[in-house]
Each structure stands twice: as C-alpha cells, then as structure tokens.
Amino acid sequence: VASLVESKKGQYLNLLVAYFSYTGTTHGIVEEIRFKIGADLFCIEHEEDYSDVYTESRLEIWHNDCPNLKNTVENMDQYDVVFIGFPIWFHATPAPVNTFLESYDLTGKIIIPLCTSGGSDIEEAIPTFLNSCRNLAVYQERRISNSSEIDSWLANIDLF
C-alpha cells in the first residue's frame, strides 16, 4: 500500500524509496529517509549474488550491462515521487540501479537520486544515472554522508 504525503500544493503524493545497498550503508540512510517522509521502501537486488563484487560490478558498469533483478515493484504506476538510493561504484551508478530505472515506465514521476559514498560526489555518478532516465524529471540529487544531512536535504526539496 502506498504511503501518502501532502505536498505544498495541497495534493497528496505517493512516495517510494527504492535503493541498492551492498554493505548496508545505503540501506541505513534510506531507511531513515523513508521513516521521515512516510514512503514505501523497495530493495533493488541483483538476481544472483556477486562472487567477486569488485570485478563483476566493474565489468557490468563498463559494458553497460543490465543484470537481472530478484524482484519488481508492484503497481509502480501509483507512485508520484521515486527516491533512488545507491552507493557510487567506480564513479558510476551500480548496474542493478540502471536495470531498475530501465525496467519501468517512469514518465510523469519525479525521480530523486541520492547516493552514499565516502569520497565520491554524486556528480560523478549522474551521467550513468541519467543514461537510464532519459526524458524524466530528475530532481535534487544529493550525496548523503551521514544521517545528520538528511533533514536539511529534505527541507530543500520543495515538495513537502
């Protein structure tokens, strides 16, 4: 069931936070965001576990592969705003995130990317992210290093 949040315009928005997390860092950040905005949560998972994450994920990115995912979002059409959380891998969006973005018709939705990274900025990953979001409204991307940054970022998103 989709969560509803009233926008500044008095309309209700259905919110989804979808994320890919390999080590758990991104999961912790998006869980807090989901709680603060009352969104539904969806974990983007590679269909098969990586046997050598470093080599396999790098090759997926370099070859623009779209690996199969374990599950899908039911009724994606009900969501108005989709937050997409991910770590930055090799200065790019992880391939499972690109598969997720390319698996749905996201036309008319607001897409809000956020990444976790110890050093890379989200601008490094935005080119690969945007390749999977052609003609979509991508808005207010942000790198979140720790949970203390979440409130100010959400306050700057002029939806709530």
Side-chain angles (χ1 to χ4, degrees):
V1 174
S3 301
L4 296 173
V5 172
E6 189 171 6
S7 74
K8 286 187 174 183
K9 297 177 183 176
Q11 299 171 326
Y12 284 96
L13 300 173
N14 290 318
L15 309 174
L16 175 67
V17 176
Y19 71 97
F20 175 76
S21 185
Y22 188 75
T23 64
T25 302
T26 303
H27 176 256
I29 294 293
V30 299
E31 186 67 45
E32 188 167 339
I33 291 168
R34 181 210 58 82
F35 177 76
K36 289 179 181 284
I37 64 174
D40 291 339
L41 190 66
F42 178 79
C43 181
I44 301 167
E45 296 178 273
H46 202 281
E47 185 176 64
E48 296 181 22
D49 292 336
Y50 290 108
S51 59
D52 177 355
V53 67
Y54 182 84
T55 302
E56 292 171 23
S57 63
R58 185 181 62 201
L59 290 173
E60 286 176 340
I61 291 166
W62 287 355
H63 295 137
N64 293 317
D65 288 345
C66 286
N68 293 328
L69 303 179
K70 281 187 182 178
N71 45 23
T72 59
V73 175
E74 294 183 26
N75 301 315
M76 178 61 90
D77 56 335
Q78 73 186 356
Y79 296 104
D80 304 301
V81 179
V82 181
F83 288 76
I84 309 285
F86 57 92
I88 294 179
W89 283 3
F90 307 101
H91 309 284
T93 310
V97 173
N98 296 331
T99 300
F100 174 84
L101 291 166
E102 294 171 14
S103 296
Y104 301 96
D105 179 3
L106 301 173
T107 305
K109 299 180 186 321
I110 296 171
I111 309 300
I112 304 177
L114 65 118
C115 74
T116 56
S117 172
S120 297
D121 194 69
I122 194 166
E123 296 306 319
E124 293 179 32
I126 285 297
T128 53
F129 189 89
L130 292 177
N131 282 341
S132 297
C133 291
R134 290 190 178 99
N135 302 316
L136 297 177
V138 177
Y139 184 68
Q140 291 288 331
E141 66 272 1
R142 179 76 179 262
R143 179 184 79 173
I144 306 288
S145 297
N146 59 63
S147 60
S148 67
E149 300 173 9
I150 294 172
D151 288 340
S152 63
W153 177 59
L154 291 174
N156 286 332
I157 297 174
D158 198 30
L159 295 174
F160 315 110

